[in-house]
């Protein structure tokens, strides 16, 4: 039955020197009905599935897996599907991000410990994409990404309505008394009316675009709607391709390089992508031992216009984006301006340029030209200063132009609980020129670094028609959110980063163009305040949370666990039965 030892899985299924082990590995698999020839030394392909009914964005992944499986069989591979921790953005408390690293450990160990030669990653909801990439990166096998695709456009009362973005707007309208509670509830089913993940350019769509621009997926993977038949043929073709990748030994580290990260950062600017990509790409780079810092975002993001007119930065949704040409059309526009590394390799064995040079933009209102961008300088901005020595970030395409140079008085909240208690207090000393500051929501302060940075504005200002103010925190923000929101301030206040020193009434100067965020308080006073500062520390409710808090890195390093950084390969010691 067994041919010569060729792939990693042969150690399990074709070893002649450890016949008893082979019997056990192979024999127990037989209870699923696999015939002899599947154990003949052909590539074993793991289909790493984040399907879960508790992760609604990935609820259709069994169907996607089925199409991957068909492709693997057609190419002569042996597909084996396995489940991993599925981090649901909409259900998991306290925040899905807390579990990104845990899920990545699950993925890494599942791949490392099993007879897998190549792996297909099924990813959709926000954290499922980075967690799978991180885990797979630590192993470095031939790997291909398949996204589940976005939901169809939301349709509500004659208008399109976008996941997340619509919620923030409805919430503000509800708080301002513009709509009723019933109107608010009715919008739910209008927003999520098909399978798939958020259909705004939120974190899920952004990360799917990052996967494609890193070269880790077939062209068009990012934008095809979840219910479009082309999503399933893409899955089929990915299954077929991974078998060839195993034969070519095209491992992940041959595809993801520093240059492909540079491409991804530029694409992020062009699509108006989520700020969460900054953290996730840093974590993936860390696993691959590639040096990627906020400086790279600063350098690569410079003068990249936001071309993609999608919510939250613009008007349209992912379905429109796909019909307009999808990510290949964006990549083509960037390639034409010589902005990308053309030679970067992708999973199909072709370069980024070869994959995209024939791409067509079918709708220049949805994917704009360079002379008509949504935002001229759309790359993520990095701000530094005495509040953020290790940096903070802002997404210009979602921000208000009139707040890009601004000095205002701080209104400080020590915790998210205090924020909720005080924000709508009519006596709160705040006006539209104030700067809202939220502390203790960084990786350690609020384990998982909650998406609370886009703080709701005070009701009394909303009623006046104010819809944006500068907000500063060490938190993250949902990719579907918008506003002049400065995030990921590092080091965070829970480790006595200087954000902790800000007090009510202090003046803060923001100069986005020059990357400056300064607390206009004497340095000695800042040091004195920090010395006496008592962070609001979280209650630890589980063993994993304890491990997370003890080991999580700061935001600028990707908030990975310190001991997970680096590549470890797939060697496992034989354990005789
Ligand atoms: Fe899953 Fe938005 S909640 S992608």
């Amino acid at each position: 039955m067994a041919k010569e030892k060729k792939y990693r899985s042969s150690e399990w299924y074709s070893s002649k020197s450890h016949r008893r082990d082979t019997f056990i590995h192979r024999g127990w698999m037989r209870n699923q009905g696999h015939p002899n020839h599947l154990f003949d030394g052909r590539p074993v392909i793991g289909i790493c599935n984040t399907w879960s009914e508790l992760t609604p964005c990935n609820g259709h992944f069994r169907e996607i897996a089925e199409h991957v499986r068909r492709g693997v069989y057609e190419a002569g591979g042996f597909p084996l599907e396995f489940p991993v921790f599925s981090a649901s953005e909409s259900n998991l408390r306290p925040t899905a991000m807390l579990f990104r690293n845990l899920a990545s450990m699950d993925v890494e160990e599942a791949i490392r410990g099993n007879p897998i030669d190549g792996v297909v990653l099924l990813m959709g909801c926000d954290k499922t994409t980075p967690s799978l990439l991180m885990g797979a990166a630590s192993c470095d096998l031939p790997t291909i990404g398949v996204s589940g695709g976005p939901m169809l456009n939301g349709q509500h009362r004659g208008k399109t309505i976008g996941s997340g973005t619509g919620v923030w707007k409805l919430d503000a309208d509800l708080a301002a008394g513009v709509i009723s509670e019933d109107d608010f509830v009715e919008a739910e089913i209008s927003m999520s009316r098909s399978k798939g993940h958020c259909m705004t350019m939120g974190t899920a769509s952004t990360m799917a675009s990052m996967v494609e621009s890193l070269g880790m997926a077939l062209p068009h993977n990012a934008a095809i709607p979840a219910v479009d038949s082309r999503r399933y043929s893409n899955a089929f073709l990915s299954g077929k391709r991974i078998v060839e990748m195993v034969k070519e030994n095209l491992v992940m580290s041959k595809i993801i390089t520093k240059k492909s990260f540079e491409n991804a950062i530029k694409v992020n600017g062009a699509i108006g992508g989520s700020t969460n990509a900054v953290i996730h790409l840093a974590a993936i780079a860390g696993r691959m031992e590639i040096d990627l810092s906020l400086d790279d975002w600063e350098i690569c993001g410079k003068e990249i216009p936001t071309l993609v007119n999608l919510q939250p930065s613009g008007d349209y949704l992912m379905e429109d984006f796909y019909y307009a040409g999808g990510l290949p059309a964006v990549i083509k526009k960037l390639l034409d301006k010589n902005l990308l590394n053309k030679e970067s390799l992708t999973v199909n064995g072709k370069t980024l340029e070869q994959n995209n040079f024939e791409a067509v933009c079918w709708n220049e209102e949805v994917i704009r030209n360079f002379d008509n961008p949504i935002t001229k300088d759309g790359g993520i901005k990095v701000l530094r200063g005495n509040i953020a020595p290790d940096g903070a970030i802002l997404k210009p395409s979602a921000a208000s132009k009139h707040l890009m140079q601004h000095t205002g008085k701080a209104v400080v909240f020590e915790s998210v609980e205090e924020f909720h208690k005080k924000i709508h207090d009519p006596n709160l000393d705040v006006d539209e020129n104030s700067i809202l500051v939220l502390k203790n929501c960084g990786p350690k302060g609020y384990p998982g670094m909650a998406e609370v940075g886009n703080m709701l504005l005070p009701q009394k200002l909303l009623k006046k028609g104010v819809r944006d103010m500068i907000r500063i925190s060490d938190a993250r923000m949902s990719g579907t959110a918008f506003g002049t929101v400065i995030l990921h301030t590092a080091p965070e206040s829970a480790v006595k980063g200087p954000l902790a020193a800000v007090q009510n009434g202090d003046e803060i100067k923001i100069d986005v163009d020059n990357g400056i965020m300064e607390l206009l308080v004497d340095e000695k006073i800042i040091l004195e305040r920090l010395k006496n500062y008592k962070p609001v520390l979280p209650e630890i409710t589980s063993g994993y949370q304890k491990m997370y808090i003890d080991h999580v890195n700061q935001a600028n390093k990707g908030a990975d666990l310190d001991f997970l950084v680096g590549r470890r390969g797939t060697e496992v010691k034989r354990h005789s039965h």
Side-chain angles (χ1 to χ4, degrees):
M1 184 178 359
K3 284 182 187 164
E4 89 274 29
K5 175 181 157 183
K6 206 168 166 193
Y7 304 117
R8 185 173 176 261
S9 59
S10 307
E11 281 281 327
W12 278 259
Y13 294 145
S14 313
S15 169
K16 290 227 164 66
S17 54
H18 294 78
R19 300 200 79 103
R20 190 176 57 175
D21 284 0
T22 307
F23 183 100
I24 290 168
H25 294 315
R26 211 163 51 201
W28 262 255
M29 289 295 284
R30 299 306 198 97
N31 73 358
Q32 299 177 95
H34 300 303
N36 279 357
H37 72 277
L38 292 180
F39 299 93
D40 64 359
R42 66 187 59 207
V44 174
I45 304 301
I47 304 173
C48 180
N49 201 344
T50 45
W51 169 84
S52 166
E53 286 185 336
L54 286 166
T55 306
C57 305
N58 300 13
H60 58 303
F61 278 22
R62 282 172 158 175
E63 245 179 284
I64 301 245
E66 199 41 52
H67 288 261
V68 172
R69 192 190 308 276
R70 291 181 197 175
V72 173
Y73 276 130
E74 185 180 286
F78 179 14
L80 292 169
E81 185 182 342
F82 63 99
V84 287
F85 189 103
S86 185
S88 161
E89 201 62 33
S90 54
N91 272 327
L92 262 181
R93 288 186 175 174
T95 167
M97 178 64 172
L98 173 62
F99 305 103
R100 182 199 66 178
N101 300 340
L102 178 67
S104 79
M105 292 168 85
D106 182 359
V107 172
E108 177 184 345
E109 302 303 343
I111 295 173
R112 188 198 309 285
N114 276 302
I116 291 172
D117 300 310
V119 63
V120 182
L121 307 175
L122 304 193
M123 316 177 278
C125 195
D126 296 13
K127 305 303 175 292
T128 59
T129 302
S131 62
L132 266 55
L133 283 173
M134 288 159 70
S138 295
C139 299
D140 199 23
L141 283 178
T143 304
I144 194 167
V146 174
S147 299
M151 290 185 264
L152 294 175
N153 289 355
Q155 294 288 348
H156 183 55
R157 296 183 172 175
K159 286 191 183 143
T160 56
I161 180 172
S163 326
T165 309
V167 181
W168 315 128
K169 287 193 173 131
L170 289 162
D171 196 26
D173 285 349
L174 186 65
V178 177
I179 60 166
S180 72
E181 195 75 42
D182 285 349
D183 297 334
F184 191 67
V185 173
E186 195 205 297
E188 287 174 11
I189 192 82
S190 317
M191 189 177 287
S192 305
R193 65 189 186 94
S194 84
K195 298 164 188 171
H197 60 67
C198 291
M199 86 310 263
T200 39
M201 187 50 84
T203 304
S205 302
T206 299
M207 288 311 294
S209 303
M210 296 296 90
V211 171
E212 191 172 327
S213 42
L214 283 167
M216 284 300 297
L218 297 181
H220 280 298
N221 174 65
I224 309 171
V227 294
D228 193 305
S229 51
R230 288 164 284 192
R231 169 64 56 201
Y232 298 86
S233 57
N234 178 288
F236 184 105
L237 292 172
S238 302
K240 213 172 150 192
R241 176 62 194 150
I242 187 69
V243 178
E244 292 160 12
M245 286 174 71
V246 171
K247 293 177 181 166
E248 295 163 13
N249 194 29
L250 185 53
V251 296
M252 206 166 156
S253 58
K254 290 184 186 166
I255 292 165
I256 300 192
T257 61
K258 179 74 185 254
K259 287 195 183 314
S260 46
F261 275 116
E262 290 170 357
N263 287 340
I265 291 173
K266 289 175 184 177
V267 169
N268 187 278
I271 62 174
S274 163
T275 46
N276 281 321
V278 179
I279 289 200
H280 298 323
L281 291 194
I284 297 160
R287 296 291 180 103
M288 306 215 59
E289 298 173 350
I290 293 171
D291 182 25
L292 189 77
S293 70
L294 289 180
D295 294 345
D296 294 298
W297 284 87
E298 228 166 350
I299 296 163
C300 297
K302 247 187 205 134
E303 286 161 29
I304 299 285
T306 298
L307 303 176
V308 177
N309 186 8
L310 252 60
Q311 296 178 28
S313 303
D315 301 322
Y316 294 91
L317 295 166
M318 286 299 282
E319 196 184 335
D320 309 305
F321 181 43
Y322 178 54
Y323 304 151
L327 201 70
V330 179
I331 292 175
K332 159 92 167 129
K333 285 181 197 261
L334 295 172
L335 283 168
D336 287 348
K337 295 276 178 195
N338 276 322
L339 286 166
L340 298 178
N341 299 300
K342 300 179 177 181
E343 299 307 317
S344 291
L345 192 60
T346 74
V347 283
N348 64 5
K350 295 183 184 161
T351 64
L352 195 71
E353 184 180 37
Q354 287 167 337
N355 276 342
N356 297 294
F357 78 99
E358 284 182 329
V360 180
C361 171
W362 302 105
N363 184 335
E364 289 178 351
E365 175 54 16
V366 177
I367 306 173
R368 301 273 187 91
N369 281 327
F370 269 71
D371 56 10
N372 181 31
I374 297 293
T375 305
K376 218 164 158 209
D377 194 1
I380 299 278
K381 292 285 177 206
V382 179
L383 304 177
R384 288 194 174 83
N386 62 357
I387 316 183
D390 292 337
I393 61 166
L394 172 137
K395 176 173 160 180
S397 58
S400 301
K401 284 190 182 56
H402 73 278
L403 292 170
M404 297 303 223
Q405 321 278 332
H406 183 80
T407 300
K409 281 197 174 138
V411 178
V412 177
F413 306 95
E414 289 295 328
S415 67
V416 75
E417 290 75 20
E418 186 185 293
F419 167 78
H420 287 307
K421 220 164 101 192
K422 293 189 177 162
I423 189 64
H424 296 315
D425 183 341
N427 298 320
L428 187 70
D429 184 11
V430 63
D431 65 27
E432 53 270 52
N433 296 314
S434 306
I435 294 181
L436 304 182
V437 175
L438 176 61
K439 302 181 191 173
N440 293 304
C441 290
K444 286 181 196 280
Y446 190 117
M449 209 182 159
E451 290 186 332
V452 292
N454 58 315
M455 291 163 255
L456 186 60
L457 305 188
Q459 208 162 34
K460 62 180 177 186
L461 296 181
L462 285 169
K463 283 187 174 153
K464 266 174 69 184
V466 178
R467 286 293 184 272
D468 196 13
M469 289 168 70
I470 294 189
R471 288 155 272 179
I472 301 174
S473 71
D474 43 17
R476 294 178 301 117
M477 131 173 132
S478 164
T480 60
F482 52 88
T484 311
V485 185
I486 298 169
L487 304 152
H488 307 185
T489 304
E492 62 176 300
S493 32
V495 298
K496 294 201 180 193
L499 179 69
V502 185
Q503 294 188 355
N504 279 322
D506 287 349
E507 290 222 307
I508 297 175
K509 179 186 162 186
I510 303 294
D511 177 352
V512 175
D513 290 344
N514 293 300
I516 292 168
M517 175 160 85
E518 282 282 323
L519 178 61
L520 304 179
V521 170
D522 186 81
E523 211 55 42
K524 273 196 201 134
I525 298 177
I526 293 178
L527 288 174
E528 192 56 31
R529 287 181 185 173
L530 287 178
K531 210 165 79 190
N532 300 320
Y533 185 71
K534 297 218 172 5
V536 180
L537 291 173
E539 187 193 350
I540 296 172
T541 54
S542 73
Y544 171 69
Q545 282 199 19
K546 167 88 174 83
M547 182 171 79
Y548 181 93
I549 290 170
D550 286 349
H551 291 282
V552 71
N553 287 329
Q554 288 296 292
N556 58 315
K557 302 251 181 243
D560 199 359
L561 303 183
D562 51 15
F563 56 83
L564 293 175
V565 174
R567 204 158 1 126
R568 291 170 285 282
T570 53
E571 281 305 307
V572 267
K573 287 227 165 70
R574 174 181 291 280
H575 187 80
S576 273
H577 290 93

